[in-house]
Amino acid sequence: MRLRDLTSGDLTYRELSNYVRGLSPSSATRTALNDGAPEPTGEQVMLADLFDAVAILDWHFTLANSDDKKAKPKKPKPYPRWWAQQPKQRHSSQRVAKLEDARRRKREREQAIAEGRIA
C-alpha cells in the first residue's frame, strides 16, 4: 500500500483509517496520532477492568458480611488508568474562600498559642 494510491482512487480514506486502526497500539503512527502518548494495549485495559471488578466484588462481600454496628468499609478506588485523561480540577470560588478562611483561622490560632492565650 502506498499513499499515492489514495489520490489515484485505489485506496479510500476508510481503508486507510482501517489500516491505521489495525496497527499495534505501540506503533509510531498510532503514538503520533495520540499526541505522543502511547495507547494502552487491549490486555492493559482488560486487566484494569478485571482489577476493578475483583475489588468491587470483594467490597460487596465484605459489606454484606460485616457487622451492622461497625463502620462500613469504604468503596474501593478504581485502578488508575494512565491512558485516560484525568479531569482537571477547577477550584470554585466557594472552595477557595473556604481554604483561605481555614488558613486565616490557622494563623490566628498559631498567633494565640505564641502569645500564650491558648495553652
Side-chain angles (χ1 to χ4, degrees):
M1 175 194 69
R2 298 187 183 268
L3 281 180
R4 70 176 172 218
D5 294 341
L6 194 59
T7 58
S8 68
D10 293 336
L11 178 70
T12 65
Y13 282 101
R14 185 177 190 160
E15 289 173 327
L16 178 63
S17 173
N18 288 337
Y19 283 130
V20 170
R21 271 193 251 131
L23 291 172
S24 166
S26 61
S27 69
T29 303
R30 297 258 310 252
T31 301
L33 288 173
N34 199 24
D35 295 328
E39 292 183 7
T41 62
E43 184 179 77
Q44 290 171 327
V45 173
M46 191 171 298
L47 283 173
D49 291 342
L50 181 65
F51 182 88
D52 286 345
V54 170
I56 290 288
L57 284 172
D58 184 43
W59 175 69
H60 279 290
F61 182 79
T62 306
L63 190 65
N65 294 314
S66 63
D67 189 12
D68 292 337
K69 296 178 183 177
K70 292 184 179 178
K72 300 293 182 191
K74 293 181 182 178
K75 187 175 181 180
K77 293 182 181 178
Y79 186 81
R81 288 162 170 78
W82 55 266
W83 57 88
Q85 298 243 342
Q86 300 296 327
K88 294 182 179 179
Q89 294 192 4
R90 297 183 181 166
H91 297 294
S92 67
S93 58
Q94 284 180 324
R95 179 165 167 75
V96 171
K98 285 182 182 179
L99 287 171
E100 288 175 357
D101 188 46
R103 289 181 184 128
R104 180 189 52 79
R105 286 181 287 148
K106 180 183 175 199
R107 282 193 303 270
E108 289 173 358
R109 196 171 42 248
E110 288 173 344
Q111 185 180 11
I113 290 171
E115 293 174 356
R117 290 183 283 150
I118 299 176

